Amino acid sequence: MVAIIDYDAGNLKSVQKAFQRLGEEAEITREFSAILRADRIVLPGVGSFGTAMEQIRRYELDRVIYEAIEKKLPFLGICLGLQLLFQGSEESGGIEGLGVLQGQILRIPEAEGLKIPHIGWNSLTLHRNGRLFQNIPDESYVYFVHSYYLQAADEQIVTASAQYGVTIHASVEWQNVSACQFHPEKSSTVGLGILKNFMAIECPESNGRVPVS
């Protein structure tokens, strides 16, 4: 079962429906027990970094996120959910993120011919053999909606990037944590393939999945 963390983010239902299209059980929840007994966990998100962190702390979901990551449960951050895993964002100065990973969340700089927010399809450059991108061709198109982007401190965790005036670190992987700036649930067959790969990541308590290496 996939637990989709409910902190009043806006894209919960679309994420749930994408997993259901794959035939997977997906529950939207903020109950600690439900999250921790899930096979894998998704942190979705659209909106403001500061507001999202306020909601996460209001419901004390930071505690269960840290515990789930410590337990090595497969964990996926999507869009704002990727950004929240880092230390902070230019969008909300003085608001600390979850700090699971190190890097900066920066505003996409103004440039002639570029519209901000970045909304629409963009191609990915795959950097290495990331678990989310098994059997996904390089330069595949995925759907973005964002005004801020990740610049990871350690480029070794970056598994995909995109270009939009700057180099966007579009996906990262570290231990049991995966995250993507784009929306796989809105990225057609490529996005479903990425979510299918997430579902294939081995769970620590189960031999029911074939690990993707």
Side-chain angles (χ1 to χ4, degrees):
M1 191 269 286
V2 181
I4 301 169
I5 296 177
D6 180 8
Y7 62 97
D8 299 329
N11 63 329
L12 298 173
K13 288 290 188 181
S14 58
V15 172
Q16 182 185 44
K17 287 178 181 178
F19 281 108
Q20 290 172 341
R21 284 188 64 187
L22 295 173
E24 303 290 350
E25 181 184 358
E27 179 181 357
I28 297 169
T29 181
R30 64 173 66 106
E31 295 295 328
F32 284 26
S33 59
I35 293 169
L36 292 175
R37 70 171 176 261
D39 295 320
R40 58 207 72 232
I41 298 165
V42 177
L43 179 65
V46 293
S48 161
F49 184 98
T51 300
M53 281 308 308
E54 287 173 4
Q55 290 293 95
I56 285 172
R57 293 196 169 105
R58 173 190 171 196
Y59 295 122
E60 299 185 342
L61 289 166
D62 48 341
R63 291 171 46 206
V64 76
I65 289 169
Y66 294 137
E67 186 172 346
I69 291 173
E70 181 68 22
K71 286 180 66 176
K72 305 299 183 186
L73 294 174
F75 189 100
L76 176 64
I78 295 176
C79 194
L80 182 58
L82 170 144
Q83 297 179 10
L84 296 171
L85 292 169
F86 288 82
Q87 297 148 302
S89 171
E90 284 188 342
E91 182 180 19
S92 305
I95 303 294
E96 291 186 4
L98 293 166
V100 173
L101 301 171
Q102 295 188 347
Q104 303 178 76
I105 307 299
L106 306 172
R107 182 168 174 81
I108 298 172
E110 302 283 346
E112 186 175 354
L114 291 184
K115 293 183 179 180
I116 301 173
H118 171 208
I119 300 176
W121 297 86
N122 205 337
S123 62
L124 293 175
T125 299
L126 303 184
H127 289 206
R128 59 184 179 86
N129 196 26
R131 293 169 298 185
L132 294 182
F133 300 105
Q134 298 295 299
N135 301 313
I136 302 295
D138 195 25
E139 302 298 323
S140 289
Y141 279 80
V142 292
Y143 193 80
F144 288 84
V145 182
H146 64 124
S147 299
Y148 294 81
Y149 72 99
L150 167 64
Q151 187 177 80
D154 179 6
E155 293 197 10
Q156 292 299 310
I157 72 171
V158 178
T159 54
S161 62
Q163 298 296 322
Y164 196 74
V166 292
T167 298
I168 295 164
H169 289 164
S171 189
V172 297
E173 293 183 14
W174 174 78
Q175 296 186 12
N176 57 308
V177 177
S178 304
C180 46
Q181 179 61 67
F182 57 90
H183 288 271
E185 77 279 10
K186 297 181 179 179
S187 297
S188 190
T189 54
V190 169
L192 289 177
I194 289 168
L195 294 181
K196 184 176 180 180
N197 285 334
F198 174 64
M199 293 305 302
I201 296 173
E202 188 178 41
C203 299
E205 292 85 14
S206 172
N207 293 318
R209 297 283 180 182
V210 177
V212 179
S213 59

